[in-house]
Amino acid sequence: MGIVKVSRLVKSEDLNHHGTLFAGRGAEWFVEACFICGAKITGKPENIVCVNIHGLTFKTPGNKGDIINLETRLAKVGRTSFMVYGKMTRNNSQDILSDGFITFVFVDENTKTIPHGIVLDEPIDDEDIQIRKRAENLN
Ligand SMILES: CCCCCCCCCCCCCCCC(=O)SCCNC(=O)CCNC(=O)[C@H](O)C(C)(C)COP(=O)(O)OP(=O)(O)OC[C@H]1O[C@@H](n2cnc3c(N)ncnc32)[C@H](O)[C@@H]1OP(=O)(O)O
């Protein structure tokens, strides 16, 4: 499956009272990006619900005019649940502004959990290995 990338531009309406990227907006972009990753993996966006946002951490502020790059990838799979890792960087830098994990659950039209059938491929790089270790240590 690999990495799913989306970008957003920080605009005036995305700022907080400090004039930096509002955490709520960053969290919204984070959830949306991880959801897109899950939707692409399963091909069934209508069956995915979010149950847990794990340790979303803001390490560095974003500023007006920054292009925020969100990179997401599958980190762990269960029977009906799967976990996506997401990280935010800005512009052409690799420094992480924010990162975290989201657990999604696959459900039917009555919100009953159902198996998703997703298989975790071999890690694609060293970062994948580290992310999967972090995912295993979350609850
Ligand atoms: C037509 C196209 C539409 C497109 C659309 C576009 C929309 C573009 C907007 C984009 C934005 C994003 C969209 C996000 C999608 C939402 O916004 S979803 C809305 C927010 N979420 C919810 O409302 C979910 C509410 N929760 C629930 O209904 C129930 O918790 C659930 C999901 C049915 C699960 O019920 P449950 O009794 O906990 O189930 P249970 O069998 O115990 O556990 C199921 C699995 O979940 C795991 N689990 C349960 N709780 C947790 C937890 N707290 N932490 C971790 N794992 C857990 C279990 O370990 C188990 O895993 P497996 O071993 O099966 O892998």
Side-chain angles (χ1 to χ4, degrees):
M1 174 69 226
I3 299 170
V4 177
K5 299 181 182 184
V6 296
S7 294
R8 307 295 299 242
L9 176 66
V10 181
K11 303 183 292 304
S12 301
E13 61 264 33
D14 304 319
L15 305 180
N16 58 28
H17 58 298
H18 301 290
T20 59
L21 176 62
F22 172 48
R25 184 78 75 222
E28 179 188 340
W29 292 350
F30 176 81
V31 172
E32 190 176 328
C34 291
F35 175 81
I36 289 169
C37 181
K40 287 192 171 204
I41 290 166
T42 60
K44 298 260 183 191
E46 66 275 16
N47 293 114
I48 302 170
V49 292
C50 170
V51 288
N52 200 341
I53 302 172
H54 311 256
L56 178 59
T57 309
F58 294 94
K59 302 169 199 280
T60 311
N63 297 312
K64 191 161 94 172
D66 279 346
I67 292 169
I68 302 293
N69 305 303
L70 295 116
E71 265 190 33
T72 58
R73 57 175 94 190
L74 189 61
K76 185 180 166 185
V77 295
R79 193 179 77 88
T80 66
S81 69
F82 60 93
M83 196 184 283
V84 173
Y85 169 78
K87 74 173 178 189
M88 288 188 211
T89 58
R90 71 170 140 205
N91 305 325
N92 295 326
S93 168
Q94 293 305 309
D95 296 344
I96 296 176
L97 263 65
S98 174
D99 75 343
F101 295 79
I102 297 191
T103 298
F104 295 100
V105 175
F106 212 55
V107 295
D108 66 13
E109 62 279 9
N110 300 312
T111 329
K112 182 181 169 302
T113 58
I114 49 173
H116 49 57
I118 305 167
V119 176
L120 195 59
D121 292 337
E122 287 301 305
I124 53 170
D125 55 18
D126 242 25
E127 191 178 356
D128 235 12
I129 295 169
Q130 298 309 319
I131 287 168
R132 289 179 191 195
K133 278 188 191 154
R134 283 175 64 188
E136 284 303 327
N137 290 326
L138 292 169
N139 47 33

